[in-house]
Amino acid sequence: MRALILSGAGRYADPWHPFAETSERLAGILRGQGLEVETSEDVDARLAALTEDDPDLLVLNVGDPAHTGEPDPEAEARGREGLLAYLGRGHPLLASHVTSTSLRGIPEWEAILGGVWVRGTTFHPDRGPATILVHPDRDPLVAGLGDFTVVDERYTDLRVDPAVVALASHEHEGREHPLIWARRYGDAKVFYDALGHDAASYDAPTHRRILERAVRWLVS
């Protein structure tokens, strides 16, 4: 089975996220589950090519082009066509961390992912050691797993679909904020992991274990 990781570069890069580093850690998790992995930084072209390309798993680890350059409506339209065609054929998607800020040129993106970063509303406390609350009673993907500590950013006040069931979350000012969830968009399986700011995030064994289970679910 083949996984395609689209990794932030060019207008999908930003000054805050080491995309090459985190994409390599994701690739290691995928290889550990038996997938062949291709990583590409040609995000617009490879999204567009999804009209015909069928990786067994698409992984998006990309930033928000609004931070790094002018909008490219033509590229975004082609990318939208490719992504919708790929998902429409029932193929799975894994989206990581800052990807929830991206793909603003795809109107369906929020419905696909189940939650997005909203400028002026969403934020995160300073990166550092954080307690992540796991909800093992909510889904077999996290059954038997406990809370864990990770060095990461904790996205707070994402705009999340009320139907989303958080598999892991954090608490801020007395409220639970979803961080990890699984859902479906039509026939396509979708998994979002709001953790993964840098390589340190993947040093947490429980974080890796959740992603390993997610990959098996996505390609099953």
Side-chain angles (χ1 to χ4, degrees), residues 47-51 77-87 89:
L47 281 174
L50 289 171
T51 54
R78 291 191 298 270
R80 172 181 179 268
E81 181 181 0
L83 180 61
L84 293 180
Y86 172 83
L87 295 172
R89 294 191 294 273

Side-chain angles (χ1 to χ4, degrees), residues 15 18 34 45 54 71 87 89 95 103 106 115-116 123-124 129 131 144 158 164 171-172 174 179 192-193 197 201 210:
D54 270 340
L87 295 172
R89 294 191 294 273
L103 303 185
I106 300 178
V116 292
F123 66 99
H124 61 77
T131 298
L158 292 164
V164 160
E171 287 187 358
H172 182 75
L179 290 173
Y192 176 59
D193 174 18
H197 174 78
S201 178
I210 291 171

Side-chain angles (χ1 to χ4, degrees), residues 43-120:
V43 178
D44 284 321
R46 296 307 296 272
L47 281 174
L50 289 171
T51 54
E52 299 178 354
D53 187 20
D54 270 340
D56 296 291
L57 175 61
L58 175 65
V59 180
L60 295 179
N61 183 32
V62 296
D64 181 2
H67 288 301
T68 54
E70 294 297 323
D72 189 338
E74 290 186 8
E76 290 165 0
R78 291 191 298 270
R80 172 181 179 268
E81 181 181 0
L83 180 61
L84 293 180
Y86 172 83
L87 295 172
R89 294 191 294 273
H91 296 307
L93 170 67
L94 169 61
S96 180
H97 192 54
V98 72
T99 306
S100 63
T101 73
S102 192
L103 303 185
R104 298 176 188 271
I106 300 178
E108 298 85 356
W109 180 236
E110 183 170 351
I112 292 167
L113 194 62
V116 292
W117 178 287
V118 180
R119 288 188 181 182

Side-chain angles (χ1 to χ4, degrees), residues 2 24 42 51 102 115 118 127 134-135 153 159 163 189:
R2 179 172 66 97
E24 182 52 37
D42 197 355
T51 54
S102 192
V118 180
R127 174 185 174 277
V134 180
H135 307 292
E153 295 174 341
R159 185 167 65 209
K189 296 176 181 177

